[in-house]
Amino acid sequence: MQYCATIEEKSIVNDLTKFKSQLNNDTSFARKLVKVCKGSAVIEKEIANDTIIKFAMSKVYYQEKLKLTEDESQFDLGSINRCRHFLTLLDDEFVKSELTQQEYISKAKDRAS
């Protein structure tokens, strides 16, 4: 569970019970977590929790998929779907085309710089 420690240390999630349960029951979810912890620009750049939360809640996609705690200081991962979308957020899969201004969820990214 070393990869959960990365998320626990950030204190951006109020309870990882459902998250850890999913790790034990879903190999693809576990692989995604490893990928995120090893290569997430959000984690690498040590983006502040409040910046991550403000970004997520400014996007309709994440507003509909994620939930915050009462005090809005952490994510509430009380469902498996929220756990999955939280990993999407940490993996920086939300992108916006500068050319078309279209917003996308992109699982594959090659960094341009």
Side-chain angles (χ1 to χ4, degrees), residues 37-92:
C37 289
K38 285 185 172 181
S40 167
V42 175
I43 293 173
E44 285 174 14
K45 295 181 182 273
E46 298 179 353
I47 306 294
N49 291 356
D50 63 326
T51 302
I52 296 169
I53 289 169
K54 284 177 189 170
F55 171 80
M57 294 301 107
S58 73
K59 305 298 177 192
V60 173
Y61 177 82
Y62 287 121
Q63 288 172 10
E64 294 172 350
K65 310 281 187 211
L66 295 172
K67 181 180 176 185
L68 297 177
T69 56
E70 279 283 315
D71 65 2
E72 298 185 346
S73 67
Q74 295 177 308
F75 288 98
D76 176 349
L77 302 184
S79 77
I80 292 167
N81 280 335
R82 281 191 229 146
C83 293
R84 289 182 194 285
H85 292 297
F86 178 71
L87 285 183
T88 299
L89 174 65
L90 288 187
D91 200 24
D92 203 20

